[in-house]
Amino acid sequence: MKPFSAFLPDLLPLVPNCPEPVAELALKRATQRFCELSRAWRIDLDPVTLIADIDLYDLELPMAAELVRIERAKLDGLPIRVAPVDEECSERDYIRCPDGRQIVVAPVPVGTRSLVITASLKPGNAAQSVEDFIEARHRELIARGAAGRLMQQPGKVYSDANRGLVEVAAFEAECTRVREQARRGYGRVPPRVIPNFV
C-alpha cells in the first residue's frame, strides 16, 4: 500500500503553495473518483458460504475500502446474475446489493452453497493509502485529477477555474479509457464490435 503523500511530487508543481494536508485530501478524493470511473481496482472477495433459509449476507470488504460495483458473481462455480435493486428478476438464481454493504440472495438458499463475488472497490473516507498498482500505473493521472479539483477552489494562489475544468474533463476521459483497459485485463484484446442492422 502507498500513502496518498506518495502522489505529492506529481501534484504540488501543478498547484504551487497548496498546503500538504489539503493536497493529500484532494488526492484521496481524486483516487476515489478514479476508482469509481475506471473500476480498475477489482478483486475476488472471500467466498461466502450460503446457509439454508438465510438470504441476507454481509460483504467482507478489505479494511478502509468501499464497494463501487459488483462486477460478477458465481454460485457453486456457475455465473449468476447481479440484478439491479429496482428491477424484477425472472432468473432462477441472482443476487442484489441494496446498500453496498450487504447482498440479498434469491431465491432463499435451501442448502449450503458457495458464492464468489468479483467487485470493484475504492478507498473509503478512512483510507490512508492506496493499492500499489494504482499508484504505480496511474499516479500522474490521479495527480491531474486532484489538481483540477484544487484549481477550482476560489481565492487561492493556485486557483484557475478554467484550467481546473479542463484538467477534470481530461482526468474523467482518461478514466474511461482505463476502465476499458481494465475490462480487457490489460491484454492485447481488440474491442468487441456488435453489429446493429437497421
Side-chain angles (χ1 to χ4, degrees):
M1 299 289 280
K2 295 284 186 178
F4 291 107
S5 59
F7 294 85
L8 289 174
D10 291 298
L11 173 62
L12 292 178
L14 301 172
V15 285
N17 300 319
C18 179
E20 285 191 15
V22 173
E24 283 190 38
L25 179 60
L27 286 164
K28 181 188 296 188
R29 298 291 181 246
T31 304
Q32 289 171 327
R33 186 71 177 144
F34 167 80
C35 289
E36 289 168 0
L37 294 174
S38 70
R39 301 194 321 250
W41 183 14
R42 294 181 186 194
I43 66 167
D44 287 334
L45 301 178
D46 290 337
V48 177
T49 301
L50 306 182
I51 302 169
D53 301 323
I54 298 176
D55 67 344
L56 186 65
Y57 296 86
D58 291 332
L59 281 174
E60 299 293 330
L61 301 176
M63 192 183 334
E66 293 179 10
L67 181 70
V68 172
R69 172 184 160 146
I70 295 176
E71 297 294 335
R72 63 185 162 273
K74 290 185 177 182
L75 186 61
D76 295 331
L78 299 172
I80 65 167
R81 180 152 191 249
V82 180
V85 175
D86 60 347
E87 179 182 298
E88 288 297 319
C89 189
S90 61
E91 295 183 38
R92 184 171 177 270
D93 293 319
Y94 63 93
I95 64 169
R96 288 195 166 117
C97 186
D99 61 2
R101 299 184 188 285
Q102 296 181 317
I103 53 168
V104 177
V105 180
V108 177
V110 293
T112 303
R113 302 183 82 179
S114 178
L115 177 68
V116 177
I117 293 173
T118 301
S120 295
L121 305 176
K122 69 177 181 178
N125 289 329
Q128 299 298 316
S129 57
V130 67
E131 291 292 312
D132 290 342
F133 83 93
I134 292 175
E135 185 271 340
R137 290 184 183 161
H138 308 292
R139 70 182 294 151
E140 290 180 14
L141 173 61
I142 291 170
R144 285 185 67 192
R149 288 176 61 98
L150 290 168
M151 288 174 189
Q152 292 179 47
Q153 294 178 347
K156 307 291 183 191
V157 175
Y158 47 83
S159 296
D160 185 346
N162 290 335
R163 183 168 174 223
L165 289 171
V166 168
E167 291 291 343
V168 168
F171 166 76
E172 291 186 353
E174 185 65 12
C175 287
T176 302
R177 188 192 66 74
V178 170
R179 181 178 66 223
E180 184 59 27
Q181 206 174 33
R183 184 188 69 76
R184 288 189 260 155
Y186 296 94
R188 193 166 180 246
V189 178
R192 184 174 172 205
V193 177
I194 299 172
N196 185 5
F197 301 102
V198 181

